[in-house]
Amino acid sequence: MKNEKRKRILVMLLCFTMIGTTVLAGCSKPDPEEPEPLPSNSLTGFTTEEGYDEAANSRRVAAFVVENAPDARPQWGMDDAEYSPDIILQGEVEGGITRTLWFYRDYEKLPEIIGPTRSARPPFIKFSELFDSIFIHWGMSHSKGDYVGASTVFKKDKVDHINQMTLDDKEGMYGRDTTRYVNVEHRGIIYGAKVSATIKNEGFRTTPEEYTKLNFNKIEEPASETAATQVGVTYSSKAFEGTYWTYNESDGLYHCSDFDNDLTRENLLVLFDDTEYITKEGYQGPGSAGSVTYCDYKLAGGKGKYFSKGTVKDIEWAVVDGQLELKDPSIDAATAKASNDENLANAIETLKADEEAEWPVYNKYAIVSPDEEEAEGMEEEELLANSYVLLNMNKGKTWIGWISNNNGGSVSSK
């Protein structure tokens, strides 16, 4: 597997080896056995006790391209009471406009209608690959001149995708809305109940392989002590629209009306990335004079922001072995390990004193160390100095604003 030598989570306990097999010095009782963690949604953190269907762990993530032009709003399914997307990624595509990519951990549980669905762009495909997603869209950009289009990326990266333009739609997954008086390109929809059967018909691999799994707090907490109840995002100096959020303390959610609905999210992430503008001539076919300038994201990693509970934290992000990694630079690995060790010791003492007690929360921080080859010969102090802490988010649904690091992207909050 590609992650056998990937940086691994440290499991270094204060004065224990395996829980349940060792005893504390001077104690006669064996350490209590740690319970197995409940199956959980890797995109929201919700467990089976909180409504997550464990069967979804055997299925891949599905990612849907959804338009964000004014005539496309409000988008069907975006604020669905039961099945709004687990993650909504918003980024610039071309001409200063943005588009969205919706991620669902369980494609058996989708809104009745999703859309308007639109065409694929290379950066969105690349981002979806971080989650081992099946990519669902209506059309795509094509390569020409210096521009490498979605058609090339699909082939080169061998991405499993469903394109309305070429699909033999036996199940009737795609359709056109007839209730809105807008141009036809703003009325392409997907019937959520038809997605699972369509994926099966396409014969794709459905068992997930290595994919991004986000980390979540076991107990909800603010991102920091820095207030951020008003958040505004500008994607670049070329983008003519932004996205604006307001935190509502009464429900603990960020609210946005820019999509002509009341979209709510527990978490907001802003990822700064390097971008490049590439112009493709003859956009409308051979001999045409029209051109279009695409925004290409590099997935280069860098700085970012995490917003939750009306507060904000500076973060860092990177793509590591084909997965998205969110780092928390506010705490060093040595401090995080000491906190984990102390919490574990306290948990064991509590359980030894009261055998009927439930396991308290003890392992708050996920610490990532160098791989085995790099770590060989390192003492613990050196190992921790070369390790870092992953970001813990609060459980819930997330919006990601993907903005330009070098072409005028910005975020403001107060």
Side-chain angles (χ1 to χ4, degrees), residues 369-382:
S369 71
D371 63 32
E372 292 183 12
E373 184 176 331
E374 294 172 332
E376 187 175 356
M378 288 187 184
E379 297 293 333
E380 181 177 312
E381 184 176 344
E382 184 183 3

Side-chain angles (χ1 to χ4, degrees), residues 260-376:
D260 292 349
N261 57 28
D262 180 21
L263 180 65
T264 59
R265 301 275 105 175
E266 282 84 0
N267 302 308
L268 310 178
L269 285 173
V270 175
L271 305 181
F272 287 87
D273 195 7
D274 292 342
T275 60
E276 179 184 8
Y277 290 100
I278 304 173
T279 298
K280 183 173 78 170
E281 302 293 342
Y283 170 65
Q284 295 179 333
S288 65
S291 66
V292 63
T293 299
Y294 294 99
C295 181
D296 187 30
Y297 292 81
K298 301 301 184 182
L299 275 83
K303 303 295 184 181
K305 300 275 187 181
Y306 163 59
F307 299 87
S308 192
K309 307 302 294 182
T311 62
V312 60
K313 172 183 286 187
D314 289 327
I315 66 169
E316 298 172 358
W317 70 281
V319 175
V320 180
D321 290 327
Q323 297 174 43
L324 176 65
E325 207 166 69
L326 302 174
K327 304 177 185 180
D328 184 350
S330 70
I331 183 168
D332 62 80
T335 303
K337 177 189 176 298
S339 176
N340 282 348
D341 289 345
E342 181 180 4
N343 291 342
L344 177 63
N346 291 338
I348 289 178
E349 286 298 308
T350 298
L351 288 157
K352 284 189 171 185
D354 181 3
E355 294 180 355
E356 301 301 318
E358 293 185 2
W359 263 89
V361 173
Y362 74 89
N363 190 28
K364 178 178 179 180
Y365 298 106
I367 306 169
V368 180
S369 71
D371 63 32
E372 292 183 12
E373 184 176 331
E374 294 172 332
E376 187 175 356

Side-chain angles (χ1 to χ4, degrees), residues 1 16 54 109 132 187 205 209 230 238 271 297 304 316 324 326 336 353 401:
M1 297 294 290
F16 318 102
E54 183 179 359
K109 293 180 171 59
D132 189 32
R187 294 190 278 116
R205 169 180 56 84
E209 294 184 348
Q230 303 286 329
K238 293 181 180 290
L271 305 181
Y297 292 81
E316 298 172 358
L324 176 65
L326 302 174

Side-chain angles (χ1 to χ4, degrees), residues 96-115:
I97 65 171
T98 65
R99 194 161 288 178
T100 62
L101 189 65
W102 299 3
F103 290 88
Y104 284 91
R105 186 63 193 84
D106 188 355
Y107 58 71
E108 296 280 358
K109 293 180 171 59
L110 299 173
E112 181 180 353
I113 296 176
I114 293 173

